[in-house]
């Protein structure tokens, strides 16, 4: 048994507004049968959606998870940046330096993301959302490879990356040291292929931890991965 990554969900103070921003930046359609909050169809071979779930949590540090958007040319990179700024993004400084060839922005709720320069071979063929870049350990990369059944496509110097067998977005982890908990971030939403409780037990055996608030809305079970990042296991769909 495995779980499907059904959504990458943003903690959002204003879910509709944030969904509108990302829909505009990525040219994505809204999902008609959103299971929780607002969702966009990612249009990505990896098969997930973008979710936007309401929260009162405050962002207190740089996100541990952020998107790396790809570019086909310098003009394409500039157009993506201009489109994001027109929709309400701001430029962000995460220590990239003035000579960086990628552009760092933050969405209207402060979630950082990068617009990568053309010619990045690692992200070639991954689609517009080339990577979900995560701050995390080698162990958590191994955990998510087993949890999702996605093979490792990079494992070197404590950095790991996985990708769906169908292609699409890569999920990467940069190794130590770990950044502090930002308080407000992106999270994985999983849909089990079979019995929810059996899948929860499998994930626990791989190294996940139960959270004190074990159950969320709609019967979802709340867990944390080996690095302490919260994720949800939804009911079987």
């Amino acid at each position: 048994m495995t779980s499907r990554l059904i959504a990458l969900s943003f903690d959002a103070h204003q879910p509709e507004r944030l969904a509108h921003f990302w829909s505009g930046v990525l040219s994505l359609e809204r999902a008609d049968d959103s299971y929780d909050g607002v969702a966009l169809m990612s249009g990505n071979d990896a098969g997930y959606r973008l979710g936007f779930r309401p929260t009162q949590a405050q962002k207190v540090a740089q996100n541990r998870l952020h998107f790396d958007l790809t570019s086909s040319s310098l003009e394409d990179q500039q157009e993506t940046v201009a489109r994001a700024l027109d929709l309400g993004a701001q430029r962000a400084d995460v220590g990239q330096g003035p000579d960086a060839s990628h552009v760092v922005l933050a969405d209207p709720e402060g979630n950082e993301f990068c617009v990568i320069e053309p010619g990045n071979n690692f992200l070639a063929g991954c689609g517009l959302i080339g990577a979900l870049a995560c701050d995390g350990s080698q162990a958590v990369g191994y955990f998510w490879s087993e949890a999702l059944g996605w093979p490792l496509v990079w494992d070197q110097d404590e950095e790991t990356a996985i990708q769906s067998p169908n292609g699409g977005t890569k999920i990467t982890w940069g190794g130590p040291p770990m950044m502090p908990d930002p308080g407000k971030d992106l999270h994985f939403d999983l849909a089990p292929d079979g019995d929810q409780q059996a899948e929860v037990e499998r994930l626990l055996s791989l190294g996940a931890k139960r959270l004190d608030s074990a159950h969320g809305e709609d019967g979802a079970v709340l867990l944390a991965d080996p690095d302490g990042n919260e994720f949800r296991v939804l009911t079987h769909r």
Side-chain angles (χ1 to χ4, degrees), residues 16-222:
E16 288 282 357
R17 180 182 180 220
L18 201 57
H20 176 76
F21 170 83
W22 283 104
S23 175
V25 171
L26 302 174
S27 300
L28 299 180
E29 298 293 331
R30 183 162 173 164
D32 292 332
D33 58 343
S34 176
Y35 59 91
D36 181 16
V38 184
L40 304 175
M41 304 296 293
S42 73
N44 192 287
D45 290 340
Y48 61 84
R49 298 177 177 184
L50 299 186
F52 303 87
R53 289 164 31 207
T55 185
Q56 299 300 315
Q58 297 299 312
K59 179 175 162 65
V60 297
Q62 182 180 330
N63 286 28
R64 284 185 176 179
L65 292 76
H66 71 267
F67 287 137
D68 285 342
L69 307 185
T70 61
S71 303
S72 59
S73 66
L74 287 175
E75 292 77 11
D76 182 47
Q77 182 186 29
Q78 292 164 358
E79 288 173 2
T80 300
V81 170
R83 185 166 64 251
L85 292 172
D86 287 344
L87 288 164
Q90 295 184 342
R91 294 186 183 272
D93 184 357
V94 296
Q96 68 269 28
D99 297 328
S101 52
H102 64 284
V103 179
V104 184
L105 302 174
D107 71 18
E109 294 201 8
N111 302 296
E112 298 88 2
F113 63 100
C114 296
V115 185
I116 305 299
E117 69 280 0
N120 185 300
N121 291 332
F122 183 69
L123 301 181
C126 293
L128 179 52
I129 306 176
L132 177 69
C134 309
D135 182 61
S137 65
Q138 183 183 53
V140 88
Y142 293 169
F143 168 82
W144 282 111
S145 177
E146 290 288 337
L148 297 176
W150 289 16
L152 284 163
V153 294
W154 182 264
D155 184 9
Q156 185 173 316
D157 299 327
E158 299 191 78
E159 297 179 354
T160 53
I162 63 175
Q163 187 179 30
S164 166
N166 297 322
T169 300
K170 291 177 177 176
I171 305 178
T172 70
W173 290 270
M178 288 282 290
M179 292 190 296
D181 185 348
K184 179 175 177 287
D185 210 335
L186 285 79
H187 304 280
F188 294 177
D189 287 344
L190 308 186
D193 291 327
D195 179 71
Q196 181 195 41
Q197 190 55 45
E199 178 60 2
V200 166
E201 293 301 325
R202 185 184 76 91
L203 293 167
L204 292 172
S205 74
L206 294 175
K209 300 290 190 296
R210 288 188 185 273
L211 297 179
D212 290 340
S213 53
H215 288 273
E217 298 176 1
D218 301 326
V221 176
L222 305 180

